[in-house]
Amino acid sequence: MTEAHLIRGFLESHGIDALVRGDFLTGGWGELPVDVCAVWITDDSRYEDADQLLRDFLSGSLARIHGGKTWSCPHCNETIEGQFTACWRCGGQGPLPD
Ligand SMILES: [Zn+2]
């Protein structure tokens, strides 16, 4: 649940109240499409904001927190961030995750 709390803190730092599912069981809030956890925002009108923030967050900060690794494409030598499994430039496959 560490990621969930991290994400909740991230959303709250952007002015969006959020809860980690499991802390509260009362429903009715929008569930964000997060694979790693279940974070609920308490105000449905902020759902779009939260969704966009999280997409940016998950593709950036969280990925770096989790891995921080990059790999070099064996085909074109492009440096690829660790969360991607294929080269964005040539489509070549990267090393398998450990
Ligand atoms: Zn490549």
Side-chain angles (χ1 to χ4, degrees):
M1 293 302 279
T2 304
E3 293 92 346
H5 287 279
L6 195 73
I7 288 169
R8 186 187 64 175
F10 169 77
L11 289 174
E12 287 182 345
S13 75
H14 286 78
I16 298 173
D17 288 331
L19 296 170
V20 176
R21 191 167 67 180
D23 289 354
F24 296 88
L25 292 176
T26 13
W29 298 310
E31 186 175 10
L32 295 164
V34 180
D35 292 337
V36 291
C37 62
V39 177
W40 296 68
I41 54 172
T42 55
D43 182 354
D44 272 346
S45 68
R46 304 302 304 278
Y47 181 87
E48 294 295 328
D49 292 340
D51 184 56
Q52 188 55 53
L53 281 167
L54 270 186
R55 285 178 198 283
D56 295 344
F57 182 60
L58 290 172
S59 66
S61 313
L62 192 60
R64 280 194 291 278
I65 289 165
H66 272 294
K69 295 180 198 160
T70 59
W71 52 275
S72 294
C73 177
H75 305 287
C76 70
N77 215 32
E78 185 65 45
T79 300
I80 312 296
E81 290 187 44
Q83 74 267 33
F84 299 111
T85 57
C87 174
W88 58 265
R89 182 185 288 257
C90 73
Q93 289 295 314
L96 293 172
D98 1 274

